[in-house]
Amino acid sequence: MPLLILAIFWSFRSLMPTNGNTTVEEEYGFSTDMAFTHVEAISKQPHAVGFPAHETVRAYIVAQLEDMGLEVTLQEGYTAGDWANYSKAVNIVTKIQGSGEGKALLLLSHYDSSPHSSLGASDAGSGVATILEGIRAYLETKATPKNDIIIVITDAEELGLNGADLFANRHAWTKEIGLVLNFEARGSGGPGNMFMETNRGNEKLLKEFVAANPHFPVTNSLAYSIYKMLPNDTDLTVFREDQDIEGFNFAFIDDHFDYHTVRDSYTRLDRKTLTHQGSYLMPLLTHFSEADLGSLKSLNDYIYFNIPVFKIVSYPFDWIWPMWLLALSIFVVLLIVGFKKGILHIKEVFLGFVPMLITLLINGVLGYFAWSLLTTLYPGYKDILQGFTYNGHTYILACVLVSLAICLQAYHRFKKISIPNLLVAPAFLWLLICWAVAQYLPGASFFILPVFALLVCIAISIYQKEPDPFLLLFLTLPAIFIYSPFIAMFPIALGLKMLVTTTLFTTLTFCLGLPLLGRYPKKKLLGSLLFLGFIGTMAVAHFQSGFTEENAKPSSLVYVLDTDTKKAQWATYEHQLSDWTSTILGSEYTMPETSSSTIYSKYNSRFTQVAAAPLKDITGPVVTIEKDTTLNGNRILEVGIFPQRSVNRLEVFTNATPIKKASINGIELSEFYLKDRKSARLFTHYISDNDSTMLELSIPAGAELELTIYEASNDLLEHPMFTIPQRPKDLIPMPFVLNDAVILKKTIRH
Ligand SMILES: [Zn+2]
């Protein structure tokens, strides 16, 4: 039993460099301390596009690169991307000249932070710091690379990948690039995960990645398959979609609650995580600065996963069905032998399904309803829009403990079934799962490997009455090493609504451990102990459930002034109002009326409460009609929108009139976007330098156009016309929604 626990512990521990194991520092001279000084310098202030610190951060990065003797240029331009988020972007671009003629390697990350409160230490200060320190360490070796190494630190990634769009589509160096390494973050800790970005198969990229030999690779083809099915949005996606340039993303995703908040700070970034990002960059930089980057495209896909000792195990997709058929054949042969030898009995085999199905049902239901139950008990959790609470890891542990307790109790009740008969049900179920996976999610087909170990266990159990427990433990290791990471992976990656994957993976992994655990005589006692552990863990989670200075509650407040009706409102996105917000809203707040123009936010959040607010004399934007003509059956309208105060963002909605063409300050919105518009929102302009907006539209002749304009400034808390009390220390501005803003609404019909 202690050995089993040790194996589980090791399967997590081996994912990341530990503080004492810093090979990347010794081998490559990459200093985590130096990287941290960059993160600290970058994350002093929020530095989103248009914010004062944005320029300071850019100047810092340029100075660092110039100090290394590199010639830096700034690429400046405006783009609107795939989602009509118009913004200025200023990319930082430099190059280390290679000696050869081959394709170039691109190192990529972004320097803008998310508006409005994020300090951007992890996202993506960590990426910039990894590249700056990696390049310093590399140049220190005085090596001349064979390939050019291009470094691009993009801008406006958080708004709509605008900087990547600008570079990939308008910079002359794009056509030289053969491979991209992109560094990102979506939390403030955990291992860096490698995600390949490909238009075809992964074979050659994977083989080169393995050849580069990073010490702590964390990656698997299940994540690759899922990633390929989802609409992606990293800077690298733009290079792949627009220019067919492929590459690797390295992103850490744990402690998701810090993402895009003021707590994405230097102090909260995990040191090991930053070392881990460096432990990818250094060997890959060394390898890919010499490798032939012109021949990395391939049509074949490979299954792969990381595992202690072997690092990466991989084999072709072509093996998926032969391996499954082989497993099925072994299973059938074992059944025949087992029945012939009188060791398997039909009745007992069927009885063996009962505890398995019962535990799957109970644990499945528990996991499925866990998140709704938790948000009912603790409504404040809904205000963490990331869906991962500060005590999220405790809930994952609680789910593991309760699932195991239920498994042990159920199998205790069916202890009369002999081990060989008990093992038939899990083998059958796992073969079924592997069939489904091969059919629908082939990247997860490495799930078959522990099934082979289970089949060997069945064979041993048929031939031996008292098999060697160490042999059984050894055969349980593949299940532990391969499945343990998945027990926590989905809630960490996708939020606690995925706790059902934790309870089910725990149950299914337990079933694979039955050759060993089924023989354990004190199942009932152990089950009870684990249940006590579950109660204790839930108690701990309860004590961690409140919001404190350390674990601050997201809060939101905006002032919305309708300049047409001269009515003003306070509005919030909070589900559980904080005292601060409710003091400002007063006692007379109501649910807002639903409207088609929901101000854009990542999770389509809508205002939860609104209340009447005092009318302030703030001047709205001046809107002018510059042009109104008819051409070839289309009405061409040019509308100018001029801010009369310091603003950060402009969002424009239209009525149902179809928009055939639209351009903002001369940049056309993509036709695909206009045709397939999901909401009334036409575009968002993230404003730098108080720019005005010139909107040119083409609509059917004779049609009437209605534009609803929201103009926002993020200065509510410092605005001289308001006296808003300081936000208490146990609150942070809610991320992903427009916050601390003065919003002016204006409607024009023409
Ligand atoms: Zn980012």
Side-chain angles (χ1 to χ4, degrees):
M1 193 51 70
L3 283 175
L4 190 66
I5 294 165
L6 201 68
I8 295 169
F9 180 70
W10 191 33
S11 68
F12 283 99
R13 176 78 178 208
S14 59
L15 291 179
M16 272 166 81
T18 51
N19 285 336
N21 185 354
T22 46
T23 16
V24 61
E25 310 213 336
E26 285 152 24
E27 249 181 85
Y28 297 99
F30 178 96
S31 155
T32 306
D33 286 336
M34 299 273 272
F36 251 107
T37 55
H38 296 314
V39 177
E40 191 180 8
I42 290 168
S43 61
K44 288 199 170 109
Q45 296 283 329
H47 46 281
V49 174
F51 283 49
H54 182 252
E55 238 169 89
T56 322
V57 168
R58 179 168 67 229
Y60 174 83
I61 298 165
V62 171
Q64 293 300 315
L65 290 166
E66 285 178 345
D67 274 356
M68 296 180 218
L70 296 169
E71 197 180 313
V72 183
T73 56
L74 297 179
Q75 183 199 17
E76 188 173 323
Y78 293 81
T79 59
D82 288 345
W83 308 287
N85 289 327
Y86 174 85
S87 162
K88 176 179 165 181
V90 184
N91 293 327
I92 302 167
V93 181
T94 185
K95 186 195 270 187
I96 301 169
Q97 200 68 43
S99 60
E101 298 292 303
K103 289 267 183 186
L105 173 67
L106 172 64
L107 306 183
L108 189 67
S109 193
H110 68 90
Y111 72 90
D112 64 310
S113 63
S114 175
H116 79 292
S117 57
S118 171
L119 293 175
S122 293
D123 178 18
S126 66
V128 177
T130 303
I131 293 176
L132 287 178
E133 172 53 15
I135 287 294
R136 185 205 60 79
Y138 179 79
L139 290 174
E140 204 96 310
T141 65
K142 305 265 184 271
T144 308
K146 203 153 138 201
N147 303 322
D148 289 356
I149 300 167
I150 299 173
I151 298 148
V152 178
I153 309 296
T154 65
D155 191 12
E157 188 274 346
E158 300 291 358
L159 308 181
L161 315 175
N162 301 60
D165 194 352
L166 181 69
F167 186 88
N169 293 302
R170 290 193 231 154
H171 201 286
W173 290 357
T174 301
K175 58 180 189 305
E176 299 172 21
I177 298 166
L179 181 76
V180 184
L181 308 180
N182 181 36
F183 291 83
E184 260 293 359
R186 205 218 51 179
S188 60
N193 296 272
M194 185 276 273
F195 295 93
M196 266 185 257
E197 189 91 46
T198 59
N199 280 330
R200 311 167 185 75
N202 61 30
E203 179 185 1
K204 285 189 183 157
L205 280 175
L206 179 73
K207 285 188 172 161
E208 289 298 316
F209 178 76
V210 172
N213 195 21
H215 284 299
F216 301 93
V218 177
T219 186
N220 62 70
S221 45
L222 166 58
Y224 167 78
S225 278
I226 294 176
Y227 187 80
K228 268 204 146 179
M229 291 192 300
L230 299 172
N232 309 136
D233 51 358
T234 72
D235 273 347
L236 178 47
T237 313
V238 178
F239 285 83
R240 175 179 62 75
E241 286 181 348
D242 294 1
Q243 302 293 345
D244 195 16
I245 299 170
E246 302 180 330
F248 303 98
N249 289 298
F250 302 93
F252 51 95
I253 62 171
D254 207 347
D255 298 340
H256 193 189
F257 37 71
D258 288 337
Y259 180 49
H260 282 189
T261 74
V262 66
R263 291 158 50 92
D264 182 359
S265 65
Y266 155 74
T267 45
R268 294 193 57 87
L269 169 58
D270 190 339
R271 199 186 158 79
K272 282 181 273 183
T273 299
L274 193 57
T275 311
H276 196 197
Q277 292 290 69
S279 82
Y280 280 118
L281 174 62
M282 295 318 294
L284 266 60
L285 176 58
T286 310
H287 181 79
F288 288 116
S289 56
E290 303 296 318
D292 174 11
L293 303 182
S295 59
L296 292 177
K297 298 204 164 90
S298 54
L299 294 173
N300 300 328
D301 262 321
Y302 263 58
I303 297 284
Y304 57 92
F305 57 96
N306 60 284
I307 194 165
V309 184
F310 298 98
K311 293 187 183 176
I312 299 268
V313 176
S314 67
Y315 58 87
F317 266 40
D318 295 342
W319 294 12
I320 294 175
W321 284 110
M323 281 172 81
W324 186 81
L325 286 169
L326 177 65
L328 180 69
S329 318
I330 296 173
F331 180 63
V332 172
V333 169
L334 286 175
L335 285 184
I336 294 169
V337 174
F339 282 118
K340 270 209 169 147
K341 285 177 73 95
I343 288 177
L344 294 179
H345 307 279
I346 290 281
K347 201 180 142 206
E348 272 198 68
V349 164
F350 274 105
L351 261 183
F353 277 86
V354 178
M356 184 181 78
L357 294 176
I358 288 177
T359 50
L360 279 172
L361 184 73
I362 296 178
N363 291 342
V365 168
L366 274 178
Y368 186 80
F369 290 104
W371 181 236
S372 340
L373 190 70
L374 288 173
T375 48
T376 311
L377 291 173
Y378 307 99
Y381 287 173
K382 280 195 206 149
D383 290 328
I384 299 176
L385 296 179
Q386 293 94 328
F388 195 85
T389 59
Y390 293 116
N391 52 3
H393 297 99
T394 315
Y395 286 128
I396 294 176
L397 178 63
C399 280
V400 171
L401 293 175
V402 75
S403 305
L404 288 176
I406 287 167
C407 288
L408 286 161
Q409 292 291 354
Y411 276 93
H412 166 71
R413 265 156 236 255
F414 287 82
K415 64 181 173 208
K416 293 230 168 68
I417 305 169
S418 75
I419 296 292
N421 286 289
L422 200 62
L423 296 182
V424 174
F428 177 82
L429 177 68
W430 268 105
L431 280 169
L432 201 65
I433 291 171
C434 289
W435 171 84
V437 154
Q439 193 78 9
Y440 302 107
L441 193 64
S445 290
F446 56 89
F447 281 7
I448 194 88
L449 297 173
V451 180
F452 281 107
L454 177 65
L455 293 172
V456 174
C457 288
I458 296 180
I460 294 172
S461 309
I462 288 175
Y463 286 101
Q464 296 182 351
K465 245 192 140 44
E466 292 295 329
D468 181 359
F470 286 100
L471 176 64
L472 294 178
L473 174 67
F474 178 74
L475 288 167
T476 313
L477 291 182
I480 291 170
F481 288 149
I482 290 176
Y483 296 124
S484 295
F486 290 104
I487 287 174
M489 184 180 115
F490 290 97
I492 285 175
L494 303 167
L496 293 180
K497 60 178 190 283
M498 300 301 286
L499 278 174
V500 65
T501 61
T502 299
T503 56
L504 289 182
F505 262 112
T506 306
T507 313
L508 290 167
T509 310
F510 177 91
C511 290
L512 287 172
L514 275 177
L516 192 64
L517 294 163
R519 287 184 170 81
Y520 186 64
K522 294 175 191 155
K523 286 194 273 290
K524 190 174 180 204
L525 176 69
L526 184 62
S528 306
L529 285 176
L530 289 178
F531 194 76
L532 279 178
F534 162 70
I535 302 282
T537 314
M538 286 305 285
V540 170
H542 176 73
F543 286 113
Q544 298 167 333
S545 68
F547 292 107
T548 58
E549 219 172 289
E550 175 62 18
N551 295 330
K553 179 182 183 294
S555 60
S556 99
L557 180 71
V558 291
Y559 174 83
V560 188
L561 170 64
D562 188 324
T563 59
D564 306 317
T565 61
K566 300 272 182 265
K567 273 198 184 129
Q569 280 188 321
W570 297 116
T572 181
Y573 289 100
E574 283 173 62
H575 286 91
Q576 190 186 45
L577 289 196
S578 62
D579 290 345
W580 179 73
T581 318
S582 57
T583 309
I584 297 157
L585 258 58
S587 52
E588 307 254 315
Y589 55 80
T590 54
M591 297 264 286
E593 295 163 36
T594 47
S595 113
S596 60
S597 47
T598 309
I599 299 172
Y600 175 77
S601 67
K602 184 162 180 164
Y603 300 107
N604 277 323
S605 315
R606 285 164 186 274
F607 290 137
T608 51
Q609 306 291 349
V610 292
L615 194 63
K616 302 282 178 183
D617 186 22
I618 305 171
T619 319
V622 170
V623 181
T624 58
I625 305 295
E626 307 275 326
K627 191 162 104 185
D628 186 354
T629 55
T630 307
L631 189 73
N632 304 331
N634 289 321
R635 190 174 164 206
I636 313 288
L637 264 168
E638 201 176 304
V639 185
I641 305 167
F642 303 91
Q644 302 300 303
R645 58 193 185 113
S646 188
V647 293
N648 298 95
R649 174 168 149 177
L650 182 82
E651 199 145 297
V652 175
F653 296 79
T654 66
N655 59 345
T657 300
I659 309 287
K660 293 182 165 178
K661 271 188 172 172
S663 71
I664 302 146
N665 294 345
I667 302 290
E668 284 208 25
L669 298 188
S670 87
E671 262 173 59
F672 181 76
Y673 168 79
L674 286 175
K675 231 185 265 166
D676 204 36
R677 213 144 49 100
K678 301 262 180 322
S679 71
R681 185 187 77 109
L682 180 64
F683 72 94
T684 305
H685 179 178
Y686 290 92
I687 296 176
S688 307
D689 318 319
N690 242 25
D691 276 347
S692 51
T693 309
M694 234 4 123
L695 175 64
E696 195 177 287
L697 294 171
S698 165
I699 58 175
E704 199 199 36
L705 182 72
E706 183 183 296
L707 295 179
T708 310
I709 297 166
Y710 287 92
E711 182 202 72
S713 58
N714 288 115
D715 58 354
L716 177 62
L717 303 195
E718 309 90 57
H719 202 287
M721 285 190 202
F722 297 92
T723 42
I724 311 263
Q726 274 260 319
R727 183 181 258 116
K729 289 236 162 73
D730 60 348
L731 298 180
I732 51 170
M734 188 182 280
F736 312 111
V737 295
L738 190 52
N739 214 333
D740 298 347
V742 176
I743 304 170
L744 300 193
K745 182 183 173 196
K746 191 181 180 88
T747 308
I748 62 153
R749 275 174 212 91
H750 199 77

